[in-house]
Amino acid sequence: MCIRNKITLVLLLLAAWFTTATAQNESLIISLKGRVLDEFGNPIYNALLVSENEANQYITNPDGSYDFQIRDHSNYVTVTYPGFHNKVVTIGEILDGNEDIVLKSDAQFEDEQVDLVFQKMRKNLLTGSVSYVKSRELQKTPTYRLQESYMGRIVGLGSLERDANPSMFDESIWWNIRGDHSPSSGSTPVLMVDGIRYEGYDGHIFTYFNPREVESVTVIRDAATNALYGILGGDGIISITTRRGQQGEPRITVAYDHGWRTMDTKRYYPHTAYEHALLRNESCINDGLSPVFNAQALEYYKDGTWPSHDYYNEYLKRYQTEDKLYLSIGGGSEYVQYMCNFQWMHTGPLFNQPEYKMTYKMNPGSADYFHVASNLDSKLNYFISATFTLRGDFKIENGLGSCNHDRMRVRYEDMIKHVMVAAPTITSLYAPEGATVEGKDISYMPLFSENSEMGGQIWGLGYKVNPYAELTHGGKTTKYATFVHMDAKVNLDLDMVTPGLGGQLGFSFKGGGDKDIDWTISYTAYRANDPGNSGFKQYGPEWDTNGYSKYYSFCYSYEYFGKVTYQRQFGDHYVQAVAMGNHRELTTRDIGGGSYQTIPYRSEVFGINALYSYKDKYIINGTLGYSGSDEFPMNHRFFFTPGVGLGWVVTKENFLRDNGILTYLKLRGSYGRAARERVSTWRFAYKDDVTSSTWDQGRMGNPTLSPEYVKGMDAGLDLTLFNCLSFSGSIFKEKMDNAYIDATTYVPTFQGISLGNYPGSNTGRFENHGYELSVDFRKQITKNFTLWAGASTWYNNNTVIAVGERPKNTEYGTTDAYSQKYYTEGFPKGTFSGFEIDYEGSTTGNGLFNSQEEIDACGVDYSQLGTVRPGDFRYIDRTGDGIINYKDAVNYKYSTTPRQFFNAHLGFQLGRFEVSALLYGVSKYYRPIGDAFFLGYLNDGFYCDLHDNRWTAERYANGETITGPALSMTTTVSNVTNMYNVVDGTFLKLKNVEIAYTLPEKISRKVYAQDIRIALQGQNLHTWDKMPTKLIDPETGYLGLWQPMRVYNIALNVTF
Amino acid sequence: MKKIYNLFILAFAALVISPSCSQLLEPEPYGLVDLDLVWTKYNYTSDLVSTIGKGANYESGFPYAAYSDEAQAVVDRTPGGYYSWYNVDFNAATYIFSGNWGGIYNNLRTIAFFLTNENKISFTNVTDLEREFWDVKAHFYRAWHYFTLMKRYGKGIIFTEVYDINEKFSGVKLNNVEQIADFIIQELDLCLAATEDESSPYTFRWTTPSFGAINRGFAWVLKARTAMYAASPLYYEEGSKYTWEYAYQINKQAVEALHAHGYKLFDRAPEDNYAYGVYDYYHLFDNDASRSIDKETILGNGGRLSMWSNYGLPTTRGQASCGICPTQELVDCYETIDGEPVLDLERPYLDAAHLQPNYNKNNHLYDPQNPYANRDPRFYGTIYYNGAPRYWSNPDSLRVWTYVGGNCGISDEPTSVFYTRTGYYVRKYNRDKSSEREGNQDGRAHNARLAEMYLNLAECACEAGHLEEASDYTSLVRERVGMPALPSGLTQDQLRLRIRNERRVEFAFEGTFRFDDVRRWKIIDQTEEHVTGMRIIKDDATNTFSYNRFSFGTRTNKGDDKYLLCPLPEDEVEKMKMNTSPTDDPEDGDDWQNPGW
């Protein structure tokens, strides 16, 4: 309450002040004209000229020219362009005839301003580990989700597209900075957009940003830099800044993209019906059952009397189209700058819709998105300026029926499974033209089968998994989503107090809502009652109803914030400081019922950061964060997060200055403490949750709950050789002594609180370490040829030191012995365990039992897993008790969180052509690929390349290569998590390729454009991996999901 | 202008230092209630007190019989609790009676929380008597819970203050039977020392209605039981103060106290063919809250049993199941009307499978070809046997025929739940008029009654060597149903067998008496492995029956001593091994598990 009052007071004061503020005096105008050029004399387009007093700016034209008017009594102009050293030119020099300003290239980008959420800092001054990517790179990725555009592009930011489900926009990509930081839940970095936190549902809005609206995406990795953000910083921060208008003529950009998205990188290839039937029969025989398909049926499938289907390709569209139109206009005067963006995006349907008797068109997957964003910066008087941002999004999305709310994702997931498991032997999914039941016409009605197999030939599918039925009789859902963001900031130029001092106060509001309208229809189902016969009968009750339901949700959040900045150069001494404060309330989406979820989350972050540098050579940076959250009790609610950083730019020392070999070398190190906020899955986990009607003790709170502290050390160096080859490396080590852990691992029940209600405690310990390395080469070789290439890798390795795990008895040979003393402690977070296959013990080294005699002779009891058949895995009885059970499972080396990441980029610009490519990969990463698939027993049988090397008695006798277990009609002892179905997820992807051509100026001039650029882009073009099947992408690692899409795109970009 | 800057800077500074505001970010209550609120209002505290004891399980429910040798469950061959029990398909984690370790302690914590914090009560609209009653209630249920722990696990952890949420439990020690028994008796003495004011609704009274609410009589029962259990072979440790003599003293005091307050055996004969005799009439007798007629019940459980349906006869419309089927072993326990046991109590069966009865040579009334004639009257009130009259008002109108093919004929169809497995059905508590049409008129279970106190006293007296007194008290129970007194001059061993047999007959299908007794006496090796039934074949030509004992096979391993006590939950043991381990090796920690698990 009190903070709100204070802010109101401040705002009132300011309002009163505005009305009395006097207008600025007119002043002398100096007009400057000339060009900005590179070392080869090429004009630099879009270089920024800023006057000393920062009131006047100019952006150069395509021919590098400027026509700059200085009105603010400045004495010099600073010229900046990324990749070049800043150049300071005195006005006198220009007026003396040196109007062509030549910039010197800088492979280290040391003068580039790096976004640190609450301040910007020259890259040379950074003492922590920060990496970033600029708008230009983001534009290369053809996507309708902004997030995808920086996947794999930023050193230190790991990502995986865990699910490419078309309904998931913000949740499907897994992000990670330096691995896991705690044994407790999540390690997802906090996302800040223009200094305002975006979280959960907020994510929808930035998803639809066009990459052209974005200035940069920055990743802050080290604890000392993150210390400023207190509770926000524990898992690292991703900060996005958007572009704002700049002084100059209005600049209009029109961009149009047309893309094709396809899953065919892993496109399912089914067997023919005949092959499928043989495999199905083989499964039956393996299980000692009689074959499903008799000789006659096999004959019919073989000679084509009965059709063979490929339902996957029949119902799933090969390409989904994507169109995107983007318009923006930006510009402004010294007093007002503006930028308006508009985007319309449309995606086409995902499925081929059967035309028969369709009474409505539902187009699942097709959607329209509208995005409007505008911002305005205005100078109100000589020391006050105000900035406003307004963004709005609107989405209409078509989905399958019965998709209420979060089920949209589930229904799409069902559909991809349904088209995949619909066996090729299924004769028809619907009744043929003219079919009748008791005189009633049922042509094209969906067919279902109870026991999907009927004497060999199959009609229909199990109930409710018939894709035809879903697409023609399943109803439809329309989802409407809206989102609004607005913020207003008042900036104060306090130079009159002391030069270099500034302040800002602001307020932001974000809010949005969802509405789903779900039309569900029910229909009567039919089934064939005789194989190969057109006799049909009703299946289940008679249905003919139309249902309608709707769902709403909403969320909003607002923030107050303020900061004081100070920045000044005193000769060789440079000082930069920021003090900031931020109060935030977030009301999350109401996910039906969850009572405390709808209580606003409230948090505050305060911090001071001060940097001093001497001659740009010695840098010291100190941070003190002070933050608090209502997730913690009063006595632990606010806490300090200090950090300190040191830097030494060795090449600025006299003995190395201006040598041509080692052009840049900086050593840096930092140590700090960051904190994690959402440590418990319980809201208000420090409070008892007692029901006053019965005084049930309910959930108990831990009154000493505190945030988790990540104490991190970071050391690194940045160097450049020959001003073209740069290298950057960091190592880090993190430690946590107060990790939040589930106390019930050691708390006994006799203390009286039921364990489900027992709170966790801050008693866990955790460690994490790793490194990031990158090499970049960038050189303008000739006037028309620039070449760049780079590669990086980053690695993290954590260890759960203590979570109160009970040590297990490892006295092998006794009945209660376990294979390991610990399964969590001493291992990385997320480690899982499975059975070891006994390759050495098996006769031909294939890890399988090859005959019943071998099973009888092995002397180990498998009964707790099931009945062993020849062709099942032979497991190692690790505990030596003669019984194979869960206690024999051992931990895997790697978990589903990758430890090593790579990326590499390569490109060149040759005249008007520009070509670039991005590779991204991960390793030290395991995926359990799912059990039901690899044994092939799902539904009516599911067989793919996983089963090519399966065990059969015949293949064994012929000495063929056997790697997999025998097929089965049901779950077997081979189904448990083991080394066969947990696979190495290592992959390398050709993530992105762009070939672009910029039209000659004389052509663009004809349409009054400054710049016309045409690009061909491709995303996820090829994957090299170790997956045992081509159907699964290692990013998802699971068959029943939507695999990451390959995208082809044509992009046209015109700037006027 | 300068002033304005100053104001601005001041305001900004205020924003930055605002965390000093005391309740910053403190959430509104939002319905989350703090436990401390409980002491601020009468209604809150009394609600809390009413939850005390809510989870107390008196184990007076019916189905325990089929876990002992009293009965065989009809669902003995389909997966489920009984099937697992008979086939030992369980381990320490899934043991059938260990589900309540946590539940008991959950209540104990509430009690400790109440007793240690009640001094915070800030409201005044409560009388001293009521406050005292709240204490009594807390102490009483604490005693009850520890009694259950002692009985089931033979150990427990006594705590009187709640553990801190950050407790590490490294110094926790298990308490043995003697310590627990001491604690129980101490708690009960606190209860009994409470003000006795018969006029107040809140005091711990003698005259509390006998059904449903705790009373002084029951405190005495619990005290007497505690002493007797602690003295029994299973629980007694060398050096314990709970000798048989000590148990005898306490039981004697208890019986005297009960006598002094008007308790006596129920002795009203049934009117209008309501029941066969006084014994089954007592079990059908309705809730006598004022104790004007029923002066025997010390604490009743309240609810009516639905015998007619859940443990009913196939001839009754609306029968859901026959539930549990009395065993031949139980039937064999009923003496003939002259007071002679049917079998030799010393060695009732000649073979391990209980198929060859060792008849008592002194019994001249028992006829194996007409086995149900001339038996203890309690037999007729407890069991439906082949030829038993269905209705007392008109015995010949319908008879229960359990012979193969009879109207209630024995069945060995594994999925059938309507027909008996053993050849018998349970009659106790079943009023013959109970039916779908007439409604449920069945009896109610008792948690404690005076006859138990007599037999407890008799057992303690016998074991302590007061043979005459033991015989007298046993005979009191026999005389009530018209059985002759025990013969004089029995040796201690003979008397012990007679008293044990008497308990079995008197308490058939009551609570967990039999289940507990065979464990207390450590005789499960004789009782738990085999039960038998009686398959009766009718010869239609001669209209005669032939009687064939048959076995249900071995109830696997039940004779093993590990089944004397319940295992502690496996997790609990492992956690405490780790918490109490002085080294990294959990094997160094205290092993809390009971033997054999």
Side-chain angles (χ1 to χ4, degrees), chain A residues 382-398:
Chain A
Y382 68 96
F383 72 100
I384 298 184
S385 60
T387 70
F388 301 97
T389 306
L390 188 63
R391 293 189 200 112
D393 284 71
F394 181 58
K395 171 175 85 168
I396 308 171
E397 190 182 351
N398 295 306

Side-chain angles (χ1 to χ4, degrees), chain B residues 60-236:
Chain B
S60 58
F62 204 66
Y64 290 93
Y67 290 111
S68 73
D69 63 349
E70 287 186 310
Q72 175 83 357
V74 72
V75 287
D76 57 352
R77 271 168 283 178
T78 45
Y82 290 115
Y83 177 86
S84 308
W85 182 252
Y86 297 153
N87 294 290
V88 197
D89 184 14
F90 52 78
N91 53 40
T94 57
Y95 191 72
I96 217 139
F97 290 113
S98 50
N100 215 24
W101 173 264
I104 289 171
Y105 283 107
N106 192 222
N107 283 293
L108 285 171
R109 185 184 189 276
T110 309
I111 290 167
F113 172 75
F114 172 78
L115 288 174
T116 49
N117 287 285
E118 61 166 332
N119 55 351
K120 295 183 189 156
I121 285 176
S122 57
F123 52 87
T124 52
N125 54 336
V126 61
T127 61
D128 288 351
L129 270 178
E130 189 172 3
R131 294 249 343 230
E132 190 182 32
F133 181 66
W134 287 349
D135 284 358
V136 166
K137 202 171 163 186
H139 288 297
F140 178 82
Y141 281 109
R142 181 133 85 186
W144 175 263
H145 286 313
Y146 277 107
F147 174 70
T148 310
L149 286 173
M150 179 185 94
K151 174 168 97 168
R152 288 273 165 263
Y153 299 101
K155 53 178 67 159
I157 301 113
I158 296 171
F159 64 88
T160 52
E161 281 184 15
V162 297
Y163 290 100
D164 185 82
I165 216 86
N166 290 311
E167 168 73 43
K168 291 287 174 283
F169 306 101
S170 56
V172 175
K173 290 266 176 270
L174 273 170
N175 297 99
N176 64 18
V177 168
E178 186 183 7
Q179 290 163 328
I180 296 173
D182 280 350
F183 188 67
I184 294 168
I185 287 174
Q186 176 199 320
E187 293 289 292
L188 291 170
D189 285 345
L190 276 174
C191 297
L192 290 167
T195 318
E196 194 163 352
D197 183 342
E198 299 287 325
S199 64
S200 161
Y202 295 119
T203 51
F204 191 52
R205 298 181 298 171
W206 281 103
T207 54
T208 298
S210 56
F211 274 86
I214 56 166
N215 55 59
R216 282 175 190 269
F218 194 47
W220 273 110
V221 172
L222 192 50
K223 217 171 140 171
R225 276 189 199 167
T226 303
M228 179 180 76
Y229 274 67
S232 299
L234 175 61
Y235 302 104
Y236 181 76

Side-chain angles (χ1 to χ4, degrees), chain A residues 92 112 116 216 231 293 362 375 425 507 563 674 757 759 896 1033:
Chain A
E112 191 152 38
L116 294 178
S216 67
I231 43 171
F293 298 95
M362 50 190 273
N375 56 57
T425 47
F507 173 78
K563 65 180 177 187
N757 289 330
T896 54
D1033 188 286

